[in-house]
Amino acid sequence: MALRPIIILPDTRLREISRPIERLDSATGSLIEDMLATMYDAPGIGLAAIQIAEPVRLVTIDVAGKDEPPAPMVFINPEITWASEDKNVHEEGCLSIPDYYEEVERPSRVRVRFRDREFKEQEIDADGLLATCIQHEIDHLNGVLFIDYLSRLKRERVTKKFAKAARQG
Ligand code: K1U
Ligand code: ZN
């Protein structure tokens, strides 16, 4: 298990489309362990593999409250198979855009098909914070960031701020 560096805006790898995982092997098992450790260390409630520069369709999430035991979830090749008409607004953050939070509107409930860490097919219905988080993470697998849902003014402002910070090292 290793803590892995999280890539930060404007790293262009955040815009890559991640590839599906074909089979479970020891490399994927190690990557899952690294992602969970990196997510808890950050700390964050979710992580997509591309955020540690691994362009594969793998997501970890733990939305347990701070007084609850850890509840790590692993999603391999997740796909949204249904989304509710009704929407929910939630404040979002991103470990790849540190210390920036904005409200985003998304479907309030989604059904997600995925493979678990034994590579068994599963389907879950998600609502609340889990629904917000899984949609945010699946967006990462498609090169989409939560700032893409903001006004052009806000998106350009935050993009310029992070580009300047990257130039200044
Ligand atoms: O994908 C990521 O960058 C992780 C991101 C997930 C997320 C947060 C909020 C709404 C949607 C998706 C984060 O975990 S940002 C950090 C964060 O929200 C948090 C950190 C510590 C405690 C509680 C929340
Ligand atoms: Zn994110």
Side-chain angles (χ1 to χ4, degrees):
M1 184 272 282
L3 293 182
R4 306 269 295 261
I6 294 174
I7 62 175
I8 304 293
L9 194 72
D11 194 313
T12 54
R13 290 172 290 183
L14 290 168
R15 294 306 188 173
E16 280 181 30
I17 296 183
S18 297
R19 64 174 182 278
I21 293 177
E22 306 287 353
R23 70 191 73 79
L24 198 57
D25 55 18
S26 61
T28 305
S30 300
L31 180 56
I32 291 170
E33 295 309 320
D34 289 358
M35 284 179 60
L36 286 168
T38 303
M39 178 184 79
Y40 286 123
D41 180 71
I45 57 171
L47 191 72
I50 190 60
Q51 294 181 275
I52 55 164
E54 298 283 355
V56 292
R57 301 186 83 81
L58 174 60
V59 162
T60 56
I61 289 181
D62 189 339
V63 290
K66 65 174 167 36
D67 298 327
E68 293 168 352
M73 305 175 84
V74 174
F75 298 85
I76 300 172
N77 303 335
E79 278 175 70
I80 293 172
T81 55
W82 172 83
S84 64
E85 291 291 323
D86 54 304
K87 309 281 193 235
N88 186 34
V89 175
H90 201 283
E91 186 170 83
E92 298 195 16
C94 183
L95 297 174
S96 297
I97 312 174
D99 303 319
Y100 184 73
Y101 297 88
E102 284 287 350
E103 288 190 334
V104 175
E105 183 182 87
R106 299 183 186 268
S108 49
R109 290 169 294 131
V110 288
R111 184 164 300 141
V112 182
R113 187 165 56 213
F114 63 102
R115 288 185 184 270
D116 65 16
R117 56 195 306 176
E118 274 85 47
F119 217 59
K120 254 180 61 187
E121 260 209 18
Q122 304 278 359
E123 197 161 53
I124 57 157
D125 287 336
D127 61 9
L129 183 55
L130 178 59
T132 298
C133 192
I134 189 69
Q135 290 176 80
H136 176 117
E137 302 307 334
I138 291 173
D139 273 352
H140 272 304
L141 306 183
N142 296 321
V144 174
L145 300 172
F146 83 96
I147 56 171
D148 298 341
Y149 298 102
L150 307 181
S151 68
R152 195 159 85 177
L153 182 68
K154 281 186 177 174
R155 187 171 55 255
E156 285 180 356
R157 204 179 276 162
V158 66
T159 305
K160 279 183 187 153
K161 183 178 152 198
F162 278 82
K164 186 174 175 195
R167 277 198 306 276
Q168 292 174 342

